[in-house]
Amino acid sequence: MPTVYDVTAWSVPRNPSATPYNDIGLIINSIIADVKSQQTSQSSKPGAVIYIPPGDYSLKTRVNVDVSFLTIRGSGHGFTSSSIRYNAGNTSSWHEIYPGGSRVRVENTDGNAEAFRVYRTGDPRLSSVVFQNFCLDGVSFGSNENSYVNGKTGIRFDSANDACRIEGMGMVYLERGLVVKDTDALSVSGNFLAECGSCIELTGSGQASKVTDNLIGAGYVGFSIFAEGHMGLLVSANNVFPWGKSSVHFKNCTRSSITSNRFHAFYPGMVNFEGNRYRRFAESARCSAPGLNPSTVYTVASSDRDARKQKIFGSGTRCVLGLTVSRVPAGHCRTFRQDKTRGGAPSCYSLGPLLLPPESVSITLDI
Amino acid sequence: MPTVYDVTAWSVPRNPSATPYNDIGLIINSIIADVKSQQTSQSSKPGAVIYIPPGDYSLKTRVNVDVSFLTIRGSGHGFTSSSIRYNAGNTSSWHEIYPGGSRVRVENTDGNAEAFRVYRTGDPRLSSVVFQNFCLDGVSFGSNENSYVNGKTGIRFDSANDACRIEGMGMVYLERGLVVKDTDALSVSGNFLAECGSCIELTGSGQASKVTDNLIGAGYVGFSIFAEGHMGLLVSANNVFPWGKSSVHFKNCTRSSITSNRFHAFYPGMVNFEGNRYRRFAESARCSAPGLNPSTVYTVASSDRDARKQKIFGSGTRCVLGLTVSRVPAGHCRTFRQDKTRGGAPSCYSLGPLLLPPESVSITLDI
Amino acid sequence: MPTVYDVTAWSVPRNPSATPYNDIGLIINSIIADVKSQQTSQSSKPGAVIYIPPGDYSLKTRVNVDVSFLTIRGSGHGFTSSSIRYNAGNTSSWHEIYPGGSRVRVENTDGNAEAFRVYRTGDPRLSSVVFQNFCLDGVSFGSNENSYVNGKTGIRFDSANDACRIEGMGMVYLERGLVVKDTDALSVSGNFLAECGSCIELTGSGQASKVTDNLIGAGYVGFSIFAEGHMGLLVSANNVFPWGKSSVHFKNCTRSSITSNRFHAFYPGMVNFEGNRYRRFAESARCSAPGLNPSTVYTVASSDRDARKQKIFGSGTRCVLGLTVSRVPAGHCRTFRQDKTRGGAPSCYSLGPLLLPPESVSITLDI
């Protein structure tokens, strides 16, 4: 039973003209169909690995992943900045002008937004679906290459899932990079997700997942890291570039950690806690809102005086430890509330809205 | 000289009936014998890589690894929850019922407990033995699928070793997952080790090792992360699920760090420091003992009132920084001792035993 | 168009005697030439992956990497301690005496210092060049195997670059391991870089990069982690062994983080901040200067009384949070300066030079 597939060596039955170069979606769907036809025993469905060698592939048909234990793997996230390229003027003398590696151009002609959809009904949840080390490139944002809008999504997990992994991937110039619904024990590690409208969106609910050791930077319209309804999410050791309207946005998350990251943002509201839950905390973060000028062209809608009133930390936030926020004037921290516990030593703080004037200075919230 | 082996392409000399499907242990031992027969020069023993494609393999004979620089690698940790499956009732309609990926079923018939034993006498210590990205599945805990007892061990390092790596592995339904004795500069990263009696046990002694970026969760009878006699161990960026009788247990460890993890536990005693040594510290941990009901069936032996008196932090612990412990009442922290240093600002604390009543609330130990 | 190359299967045109065993540099340069001859379209240059199976290879000719999206990958960092071996006396009974895995011996005969140079003129910067999971071994430090001097460099990035990755590599007995100039969004993760004069040197300038999850330890003459002119560098989850003259040395770096590492050093000056910039901070580090005797033979030049006056933290350092420094007497922290912000709770500290007498004790700088 073959379990190692190479997209460049596969022929789609009854469709001899299909190649990975003109539609890698057709190829991978055909391989998945083969896996399913080979693995029919309920007690032995080990899945497979589908390899995408370095190359330039077009995806016109959405891939539907509906088997557990499937690894789709390339040899190179192939990131290069399309933003720099599209804003560089004449690039005729450039060595190359597009991302590379195992590069899948997201060019759906099937009416779907996603390059990959992971979805299955019935039990159990899909487990251990893995995307590794290839590039999903949205290619262009159309007439305005700085719009971060093209309706394209890289990978969408659309039904409950467990123990899945996104590792070493590159995503660029997609309106939405990775969208994962109702996930348990997800690992998003070692990726390069940048110049996407939004990079990582964990929607619905989730638990015991981690977003670690990534390089991430959304466009100015979206989220670098968004999580909704998560319990026990760990966001650690990421380097989050500016442009995103926030670095991390938690909505109704509980008992989650943001720690040991480096955040850099052009706008206020770098770390947002939305909703009424408590026991969230951000810790050991390095937040810089350094007053570097965001582009005067591509500002967020609310980047005027009102935007400065956005919260860095929402109400109801507790237990913010060892957090450093740069360029916030001490006087603007007056909304801090200290809940001294008995005995003097242990203490807990809540943070209210902070105001971020452009000339604010570094402070340390040593709570 | 071949150095890249595929278990599905190997024939055992004088044993034509051996296949990786009926005994992958025989196959890998035969490959290791071939490596040794090929690499006889003391000054050139580069080792080899043994590849396990996705598939269902039985291991009946223990693998004995006694060469340095050997990588055993699969394509998928293949984790799925066997606990959910065994407790789900009728699963006849399920898509699949077992873990997958490059799945090795630990079914020893040779009288040994371990699937893999790494052991060599003489000098130097075994170096750079690597296990990557495959699944070790104990399959069943027998008549009581919630017992976490079946006598099976995934990988045991049984002699001193250096620079070894356990990466991207899956382990499930083993009584003991990974046991490493006398290790130096070990790296345990990116693994999914769960639903094992104990997950990671670093025994004997060790130094300068790291357990980072893993998803881990032991059964209620054992350790998620245990380390004995270690100096300079770094436990960071792990997401540790509940059920384990502790999240981290250090015995006679020194100068080690527990930082930037997310811990979730059902029982008191999440982080234990056993022994008389000092200069250990836990830092930046997110500990939740959220009062979620542990199963009334599978409680730890001491989960009654006495268990609540277990220490979260043992005596002699120093330098616990920025640690958040949820649901501990402030009044129960009265055993904290503050050792103010001169000058007022720097200070050091020791923690005594904490009591964890079920309705305790969040506190922050900002020391 | 082939994009997957194996060094053991490649023949250099018009040079039939070239093999990867006698000069892997010739082989890889020839493969890169083939990649360039195959990929001539500006709009499609996906690059390639060059695979180095486990084996013993000599590099006599420097590899010149001047294409983006090139991955050079092995199967094993193959670290073993050459320092122990060279200081062990009679090793005639040893199983093996050299590093292994996919081992490239750095033995240039072309007058160059580097095994690999990554360099290109023109636009854009080289992107997504990747080195993964092989060994660069300097073999010997010559007549004094403890000198850490042999003029050899493993990998040098010598022109501006973006999104490059160094992952899972081993480097040993090189005077300089990894030197990266003018880098953007570099990822150095999961490597074993030890027993090199200096391990990681990020020179010139850089931004938004990360050095995470590595095992690192320089010789006593050099840097374990050095960064110059970096903004937004994240150094996290590394375990840094002793011997290096420092664990981390930042020169004119800004808005960077050192967090959740474990540092161990024999000398004072473990973490150095050089230059006049501010807004740097070290956080959550576990620093041990445990008074273990450094070799009396291989001491740093300034390891006498004057060396004890070296700074652990340079002047102008701000926002050092939750840092534990072992064996520093409290009395010697008197140069701390506390800048209380208004409102009492938030506060910021600066650290002056610290003195490290041999019998100093642990303190906690809880700022």
Side-chain angles (χ1 to χ4, degrees):
Chain A
M1 183 174 71
T3 60
V4 179
Y5 298 84
D6 182 323
V7 294
T8 64
W10 187 256
S11 298
V12 178
R14 295 169 301 283
N15 189 348
S17 67
T19 75
Y21 307 105
N22 59 35
D23 189 0
I24 196 172
L26 276 182
I27 299 292
I28 296 179
N29 281 333
S30 173
I31 291 173
I32 292 172
D34 189 69
V35 171
K36 292 201 286 192
S37 73
Q38 303 267 356
Q39 302 182 10
T40 56
S41 163
Q42 188 199 35
S43 62
S44 182
K45 293 190 174 176
V49 54
I50 300 174
Y51 179 57
I52 305 172
D56 248 315
Y57 308 94
S58 178
L59 183 146
K60 296 196 172 63
T61 304
R62 182 177 74 186
V63 173
N64 298 301
V65 175
D66 61 354
V67 291
S68 291
F69 319 123
L70 186 74
T71 293
I72 302 175
R73 184 175 73 82
S75 286
H77 69 40
F79 184 87
T80 198
S81 174
S82 288
S83 177
I84 291 174
R85 174 260 173 132
Y86 280 122
N87 288 283
N90 186 346
T91 59
S92 60
S93 67
W94 282 30
H95 297 289
E96 69 262 351
I97 52 174
Y98 283 116
S102 297
R103 177 191 180 216
V104 173
R105 303 191 308 273
V106 181
E107 302 173 318
N108 293 61
T109 56
D110 61 352
N112 292 310
E114 306 89 359
F116 290 84
R117 184 186 190 220
V118 181
Y119 175 80
R120 187 173 72 177
T121 57
D123 286 315
R125 303 171 295 183
L126 282 166
S127 295
S128 292
V129 173
V130 182
F131 294 88
Q132 277 179 330
N133 205 20
F134 65 96
C135 181
L136 286 167
D137 178 11
V139 182
S140 168
F141 287 127
S143 58
N144 177 0
E145 290 292 1
N146 297 298
S147 67
Y148 290 88
V149 176
N150 62 9
K152 298 180 180 183
T153 296
I155 301 172
R156 178 188 291 275
F157 286 73
D158 222 4
S159 59
N161 55 84
D162 186 21
C164 293
R165 298 193 279 172
I166 312 294
E167 297 178 340
M169 293 291 294
M171 300 194 196
V172 54
Y173 262 52
L174 299 162
E175 184 168 330
R176 306 176 77 177
L178 174 67
V179 183
V180 185
K181 181 180 170 185
D182 297 346
T183 194
D184 189 357
L186 177 74
S187 179
V188 180
S189 289
N191 301 285
F192 199 115
L193 311 177
E195 301 182 358
C196 291
S198 286
C199 292
I200 299 173
E201 296 168 273
L202 308 182
T203 66
S205 63
Q207 65 175 333
S209 294
K210 65 185 175 71
V211 175
T212 53
D213 209 16
N214 299 285
L215 295 163
I216 303 172
Y220 61 97
V221 295
F223 300 109
S224 283
I225 302 170
F226 171 88
E228 176 184 34
H230 266 252
M231 193 275 284
L233 176 62
L234 175 64
V235 177
S236 183
N238 301 288
N239 198 327
V240 182
F241 317 147
W243 286 106
K245 69 179 175 184
S246 63
S247 298
V248 176
H249 188 114
F250 277 6
K251 180 177 179 182
N252 292 329
C253 291
T254 53
R255 300 190 181 98
S256 295
S257 293
I258 304 170
T259 179
S260 301
N261 303 282
R262 177 261 175 173
F263 298 145
H264 187 187
F266 288 151
Y267 316 114
M270 300 168 65
V271 179
N272 290 310
F273 296 118
E274 180 186 357
N276 296 317
R277 309 294 184 85
Y278 56 96
R279 294 198 197 93
R280 295 150 296 188
F281 74 105
E283 185 188 8
S284 306
R286 171 64 175 152
C287 299
S288 295
L292 296 177
N293 267 333
S295 161
T296 53
V297 179
Y298 313 119
T299 49
V300 291
S302 56
S303 69
D304 58 3
R305 180 70 189 176
D306 286 340
R308 301 198 184 285
K309 293 181 185 169
Q310 287 181 358
K311 297 171 184 179
I312 275 200
F313 308 99
S315 59
T317 302
R318 302 183 67 177
C319 311
V320 177
L321 306 188
L323 179 70
T324 300
V325 181
S326 295
R327 303 186 67 78
V328 180
H332 288 267
C333 298
R334 61 181 173 269
T335 55
F336 280 39
R337 182 168 54 81
Q338 181 178 355
D339 300 325
K340 274 275 186 187
T341 56
R342 274 162 287 181
S347 55
C348 187
Y349 296 82
S350 294
L351 283 74
L354 300 179
L355 202 62
L356 276 157
E359 296 308 316
S360 56
V361 296
S362 288
I363 63 159
T364 299
L365 317 182
D366 63 341
I367 52 177
Chain B
M1 184 175 69
T3 60
V4 179
Y5 297 84
D6 182 323
V7 294
T8 64
W10 187 255
S11 298
V12 178
R14 294 169 301 283
N15 190 348
S17 68
T19 76
Y21 307 106
N22 58 35
D23 189 0
I24 197 172
L26 277 181
I27 300 290
I28 297 178
N29 280 333
S30 173
I31 291 173
I32 293 171
D34 189 69
V35 171
K36 292 202 284 191
S37 72
Q38 302 267 355
Q39 302 182 11
T40 56
S41 163
Q42 188 200 34
S43 61
S44 181
K45 293 190 176 177
V49 53
I50 300 174
Y51 178 57
I52 305 171
D56 248 316
Y57 308 93
S58 177
L59 182 146
K60 296 196 171 62
T61 304
R62 182 176 75 186
V63 174
N64 298 300
V65 176
D66 59 355
V67 292
S68 291
F69 318 124
L70 185 73
T71 293
I72 302 174
R73 183 175 74 81
S75 287
H77 69 40
F79 184 87
T80 197
S81 174
S82 288
S83 177
I84 291 174
R85 174 260 174 131
Y86 280 122
N87 288 284
N90 186 346
T91 58
S92 61
S93 68
W94 282 29
H95 297 289
E96 69 262 350
I97 51 174
Y98 283 116
S102 297
R103 177 192 181 216
V104 174
R105 303 193 308 274
V106 180
E107 303 173 319
N108 293 62
T109 55
D110 61 352
N112 291 311
E114 307 90 357
F116 290 83
R117 184 185 190 219
V118 181
Y119 175 79
R120 188 173 71 178
T121 57
D123 286 315
R125 304 171 294 185
L126 282 166
S127 295
S128 293
V129 173
V130 183
F131 294 87
Q132 277 180 330
N133 204 20
F134 65 97
C135 182
L136 286 167
D137 178 11
V139 182
S140 168
F141 287 127
S143 58
N144 177 2
E145 290 292 2
N146 298 297
S147 68
Y148 290 88
V149 176
N150 61 8
K152 298 179 180 182
T153 296
I155 301 171
R156 179 188 292 273
F157 286 72
D158 222 3
S159 60
N161 55 85
D162 186 22
C164 292
R165 298 193 279 172
I166 312 294
E167 296 179 340
M169 293 292 293
M171 300 195 197
V172 55
Y173 263 51
L174 299 163
E175 185 169 328
R176 306 177 76 177
L178 173 67
V179 183
V180 185
K181 182 180 169 185
D182 297 347
T183 193
D184 189 356
L186 177 74
S187 178
V188 181
S189 288
N191 301 285
F192 199 115
L193 311 177
E195 300 182 0
C196 291
S198 286
C199 292
I200 300 173
E201 295 167 274
L202 309 182
T203 65
S205 64
Q207 64 173 334
S209 294
K210 65 185 176 71
V211 175
T212 55
D213 209 15
N214 300 285
L215 296 162
I216 303 172
Y220 61 97
V221 296
F223 300 110
S224 283
I225 302 170
F226 171 88
E228 176 185 33
H230 266 251
M231 193 275 283
L233 176 62
L234 175 64
V235 177
S236 184
N238 301 289
N239 198 326
V240 182
F241 318 147
W243 286 105
K245 69 178 174 184
S246 62
S247 297
V248 177
H249 189 114
F250 277 6
K251 180 177 180 182
N252 292 328
C253 293
T254 52
R255 299 190 181 100
S256 296
S257 292
I258 303 169
T259 179
S260 301
N261 303 283
R262 178 261 174 174
F263 298 145
H264 187 188
F266 288 151
Y267 317 113
M270 302 168 64
V271 179
N272 290 311
F273 296 117
E274 181 185 355
N276 296 316
R277 309 294 184 85
Y278 55 97
R279 293 199 195 93
R280 297 150 294 187
F281 74 103
E283 185 187 9
S284 306
R286 171 62 175 153
C287 299
S288 295
L292 296 178
N293 265 335
S295 162
T296 53
V297 180
Y298 314 118
T299 50
V300 292
S302 56
S303 69
D304 58 5
R305 179 72 189 175
D306 286 340
R308 301 198 184 285
K309 293 181 184 169
Q310 288 180 355
K311 297 171 183 178
I312 273 200
F313 307 99
S315 59
T317 301
R318 303 184 66 177
C319 308
V320 176
L321 305 187
L323 178 71
T324 300
V325 180
S326 294
R327 303 186 67 77
V328 179
H332 288 269
C333 299
R334 60 181 174 272
T335 55
F336 281 38
R337 182 169 53 81
Q338 181 176 354
D339 300 325
K340 274 274 186 187
T341 56
R342 275 161 285 181
S347 53
C348 186
Y349 297 82
S350 294
L351 282 75
L354 299 179
L355 203 61
L356 276 157
E359 297 308 317
S360 57
V361 297
S362 288
I363 64 158
T364 299
L365 316 182
D366 64 340
I367 53 176
Chain C
M1 184 175 70
T3 60
V4 179
Y5 298 83
D6 183 323
V7 295
T8 64
W10 186 254
S11 298
V12 178
R14 292 170 303 283
N15 189 349
S17 67
T19 76
Y21 307 106
N22 58 34
D23 189 1
I24 197 173
L26 276 182
I27 299 291
I28 298 179
N29 280 333
S30 173
I31 291 173
I32 292 172
D34 189 68
V35 171
K36 293 202 285 190
S37 72
Q38 302 267 354
Q39 301 183 11
T40 56
S41 164
Q42 187 198 37
S43 62
S44 181
K45 293 190 175 179
V49 55
I50 301 174
Y51 178 56
I52 306 172
D56 249 316
Y57 308 93
S58 178
L59 183 146
K60 295 195 173 64
T61 305
R62 184 177 74 186
V63 173
N64 298 301
V65 175
D66 59 355
V67 292
S68 289
F69 318 125
L70 185 73
T71 294
I72 303 175
R73 183 174 74 81
S75 286
H77 69 40
F79 184 87
T80 198
S81 174
S82 289
S83 177
I84 292 175
R85 174 261 174 134
Y86 281 122
N87 288 284
N90 186 347
T91 58
S92 60
S93 68
W94 281 30
H95 298 288
E96 68 262 350
I97 51 173
Y98 283 115
S102 297
R103 176 191 181 217
V104 174
R105 302 193 309 273
V106 181
E107 302 174 319
N108 292 64
T109 57
D110 61 351
N112 291 311
E114 307 89 359
F116 290 84
R117 185 188 190 216
V118 181
Y119 176 78
R120 187 172 72 178
T121 57
D123 285 317
R125 303 171 294 185
L126 282 165
S127 294
S128 292
V129 173
V130 182
F131 294 86
Q132 276 179 330
N133 205 21
F134 65 97
C135 181
L136 287 166
D137 179 11
V139 182
S140 168
F141 287 127
S143 57
N144 176 1
E145 290 293 2
N146 297 297
S147 67
Y148 291 89
V149 175
N150 62 8
K152 297 179 179 181
T153 296
I155 301 172
R156 177 188 292 275
F157 286 73
D158 221 4
S159 59
N161 55 84
D162 186 21
C164 293
R165 299 193 279 172
I166 312 294
E167 296 179 341
M169 293 292 293
M171 301 194 196
V172 54
Y173 263 52
L174 299 162
E175 184 169 329
R176 307 177 76 177
L178 174 66
V179 183
V180 185
K181 181 180 169 184
D182 297 347
T183 193
D184 190 357
L186 177 74
S187 179
V188 180
S189 289
N191 301 284
F192 200 116
L193 312 177
E195 301 183 358
C196 292
S198 286
C199 291
I200 299 173
E201 296 167 274
L202 308 182
T203 66
S205 64
Q207 65 174 333
S209 294
K210 67 186 173 72
V211 175
T212 55
D213 209 14
N214 299 285
L215 296 163
I216 303 172
Y220 60 97
V221 296
F223 300 109
S224 283
I225 302 170
F226 171 88
E228 176 185 34
H230 265 252
M231 193 275 282
L233 176 62
L234 175 63
V235 177
S236 184
N238 301 289
N239 198 327
V240 182
F241 317 148
W243 286 105
K245 68 179 175 184
S246 63
S247 298
V248 176
H249 189 113
F250 278 6
K251 180 177 179 181
N252 292 328
C253 292
T254 53
R255 299 189 183 100
S256 295
S257 293
I258 303 169
T259 179
S260 300
N261 302 283
R262 177 262 175 174
F263 298 145
H264 187 187
F266 288 151
Y267 317 113
M270 300 168 65
V271 179
N272 290 310
F273 296 119
E274 181 186 355
N276 296 317
R277 309 294 184 84
Y278 55 96
R279 292 199 198 92
R280 296 151 295 188
F281 75 103
E283 186 187 7
S284 305
R286 171 62 174 154
C287 299
S288 296
L292 295 178
N293 266 335
S295 162
T296 53
V297 179
Y298 314 119
T299 49
V300 293
S302 55
S303 68
D304 57 3
R305 179 71 192 175
D306 286 341
R308 300 199 184 284
K309 294 181 183 169
Q310 288 181 357
K311 297 170 184 179
I312 273 200
F313 308 100
S315 59
T317 302
R318 303 184 66 175
C319 308
V320 177
L321 306 189
L323 178 70
T324 300
V325 180
S326 295
R327 304 185 67 77
V328 180
H332 288 268
C333 298
R334 62 182 174 270
T335 56
F336 280 39
R337 182 168 54 82
Q338 181 177 354
D339 300 325
K340 274 277 185 186
T341 56
R342 274 162 285 183
S347 54
C348 188
Y349 297 82
S350 294
L351 282 74
L354 300 180
L355 203 61
L356 276 158
E359 295 309 314
S360 57
V361 298
S362 289
I363 64 159
T364 299
L365 316 181
D366 65 341
I367 53 176

